[in-house]
Amino acid sequence: MDVEAEDIVCLMYYRGRLSRKRLLLLMVALEEERRDEPRYFGPHLDITQMTNAQSLECFRFRKDQLQELVVALGIRPTIRGPNRSKWTALEGLCILLRRLVYPNRLCDLEPMFGRSRTTLSIIFNQMCCWLCDVWGRLVHDFARQPWFTMQVLEACVAAVDNKTGLPPNTTKVWGFIDGTLRPICKPSRGQRPYYSGRKRVHALAFQAVVASNGIIVHLFGPLPGHRHDSALLRESGLMAYMRNHLPLAPNQMRYQVYGDAAYPLREQLIRPYHRPNQAQQHFNTTMSRARLSVEWGFGEVRMLFAFCDFKNDLKVLLQPVGAYYTAAVLLGNCHTCLNRKNEISTYFQCLPPTLNEYLQ
């Protein structure tokens, strides 16, 4: 607010030349005028002035990894938004990561990036949607990606066999399937489909397959939170996709994923035995321990990008919430590739692909 104008208005009021009503009207007018004035937010982000420790804290990647990620993702050097604002590839990636890392308010990010909250919102949403449009195929059409070869499948199967101690060729399990609910803010209308009676929360439902090398290779969703895991499996068409696009193993067996008791038994999907004998109970116990790795995959996405777990700021009628989680999964896979490990790959002793291999 203009301090001189405010002082003059207050002085006139105290001298009896303005009524209380006129004083309030003038103060409101001055406040609105101040809001329309351009604000100075400071210089734009200069990543070279940050240490690697600060970069890891703010973006989950080191400075050199951010540069490598910009090149590997193929982000244009300069990007223009609908409000004619322009930003560089590195700045756009940093804004996307910083927003996903923690549920900051946009006004809290203004001093860091030197941009208004409106521009930050535009950059974040545009970068998020671009990432899903260009690279969403990595989790929607995984079997036809160059990095997902027969050698990778066999390495994942061998890692599961070695960890579970099951005899070779008993199964051909290379990954684990499960559903997850991502809580959202209660919608102002159409609430019932999003409400999960089991979790007692409004949510979006996703289905994921995690390979034993730590990569989330398949992500389907979002669907309204009341849908069951078996409904997600049916809607995704994953079984038909695996049958049509995954090759047969050298012993002519089908490659399989392992799920919990909520899933039906299929040629490409196995589940725990019902009413097992002693040998079958041993199989159930061993595979159930390994199946927990899919939960670790969901947990790692939440740990790296906590914004996706802050339901008060996830409004499905106002924001592309599904794209936020898909982008977080893609960036989490990139994080695994750059560091060449995560909790899952360490547990199974199976090396993930490099970033360039993954983003071919």
Side-chain angles (χ1 to χ4, degrees):
M1 181 180 291
D2 188 350
V3 178
E4 292 184 359
E6 182 185 6
D7 289 342
I8 292 173
V9 169
C10 291
L11 183 62
M12 293 177 65
Y13 171 73
Y14 287 127
R15 289 185 176 180
R17 297 185 180 180
L18 285 178
S19 65
R20 183 178 179 83
K21 182 177 179 179
R22 286 185 174 272
L23 171 68
L24 294 175
L25 290 174
L26 285 172
M27 295 292 280
V28 169
L30 289 172
E31 179 65 16
E32 290 177 350
E33 182 180 358
R34 182 192 68 82
R35 289 176 181 174
D36 294 337
E37 293 177 354
R39 290 180 290 170
Y40 176 71
F41 301 104
H44 291 182
L45 176 70
D46 185 2
I47 195 70
T48 61
Q49 302 299 319
M50 302 180 71
T51 64
N52 274 326
Q54 291 172 331
S55 181
L56 283 170
E57 182 180 0
C58 293
F59 311 119
R60 299 295 190 242
F61 294 90
R62 298 193 309 269
K63 293 192 295 183
D64 60 310
Q65 291 177 335
L66 288 172
Q67 299 284 359
E68 187 177 351
L69 195 56
V70 166
V71 175
L73 289 173
I75 306 175
R76 296 196 307 271
T78 304
I79 307 168
R80 185 181 293 273
N83 64 342
R84 298 185 179 180
S85 58
K86 293 192 298 183
W87 60 91
T88 64
L90 181 59
E91 184 185 14
L93 180 62
C94 288
I95 290 172
L96 172 63
L97 289 169
R98 183 59 186 149
R99 179 73 164 150
L100 288 175
V101 163
Y102 196 76
N104 300 280
R105 297 180 302 171
L106 289 172
C107 61
D108 295 333
L109 300 181
E110 289 178 342
M112 182 178 190
F113 293 100
R115 292 184 180 273
S116 69
R117 66 194 72 181
T118 303
T119 303
L120 288 173
S121 177
I122 290 171
I123 295 174
F124 170 69
N125 284 288
Q126 186 166 329
M127 292 296 296
C128 188
C129 293
W130 175 87
L131 186 66
C132 294
D133 291 341
V134 175
W135 294 105
R137 57 181 173 81
L138 293 173
V139 291
H140 298 148
D141 191 16
F142 63 92
R144 290 191 283 187
Q145 302 310 312
W147 76 273
F148 199 78
T149 62
M150 174 78 80
Q151 290 75 21
V152 171
L153 272 171
E154 283 296 317
C156 291
V157 170
V160 174
D161 289 344
N162 292 337
K163 192 63 183 179
T164 58
L166 296 174
N169 297 323
T170 303
T171 64
K172 281 293 181 179
V173 173
W174 58 272
F176 301 89
I177 184 173
D178 201 4
T180 182
L181 288 177
R182 305 301 343 125
I184 59 172
C185 184
K186 184 172 71 173
S188 59
R189 60 182 184 274
Q191 301 172 10
R192 185 177 294 275
Y194 295 101
Y195 186 74
S196 170
R198 182 169 61 92
K199 295 290 187 179
R200 298 180 181 276
V201 69
H202 292 85
L204 295 177
F206 290 87
Q207 173 185 275
V209 174
V210 179
S212 57
N213 61 4
I215 298 296
I216 299 178
V217 298
H218 164 76
L219 183 72
F220 172 74
L223 289 184
H226 79 283
R227 303 301 296 273
H228 190 264
D229 287 352
S230 59
L232 286 169
L233 180 67
R234 183 177 62 253
E235 294 283 343
S236 68
L238 179 62
M239 295 296 98
Y241 178 83
M242 291 176 60
R243 183 172 57 252
N244 295 332
H245 294 96
L246 288 187
L248 291 174
N251 61 356
Q252 300 304 305
M253 290 180 63
R254 289 281 186 184
Y255 288 107
Q256 302 159 325
V257 293
Y258 185 86
D260 59 23
Y263 289 100
L265 184 64
R266 295 288 185 268
E267 189 178 9
Q268 297 85 18
L269 189 153
I270 59 176
R271 47 164 286 170
Y273 286 100
H274 180 61
R275 295 180 180 176
N277 57 33
Q278 186 175 358
Q280 293 170 344
Q281 182 59 50
H282 173 70
F283 174 86
N284 286 355
T285 303
T286 303
M287 293 300 294
S288 294
R289 290 172 184 164
R291 194 199 66 82
L292 288 176
S293 60
V294 70
E295 304 292 349
W296 301 343
F298 296 142
E300 182 159 358
V301 173
R302 293 196 303 270
M303 179 190 69
L304 290 173
F305 306 111
F307 178 77
C308 295
D309 204 36
F310 185 66
K311 68 175 185 179
N312 290 343
D313 209 7
L314 299 176
K315 304 176 177 65
V316 291
L317 301 181
L318 299 176
Q319 302 165 311
V321 179
Y324 295 167
Y325 191 71
T326 303
V329 168
L330 289 169
L331 291 169
N333 284 344
C334 293
H335 186 272
T336 299
C337 294
L338 280 170
N339 292 284
R340 300 309 305 278
K341 65 177 182 179
N342 63 7
E343 188 176 7
I344 301 170
S345 65
T346 302
Y347 177 77
F348 286 105
Q349 294 296 305
C350 187
L351 199 64
T354 65
L355 183 66
N356 290 328
E357 291 171 347
Y358 182 65
L359 295 178
Q360 287 184 29

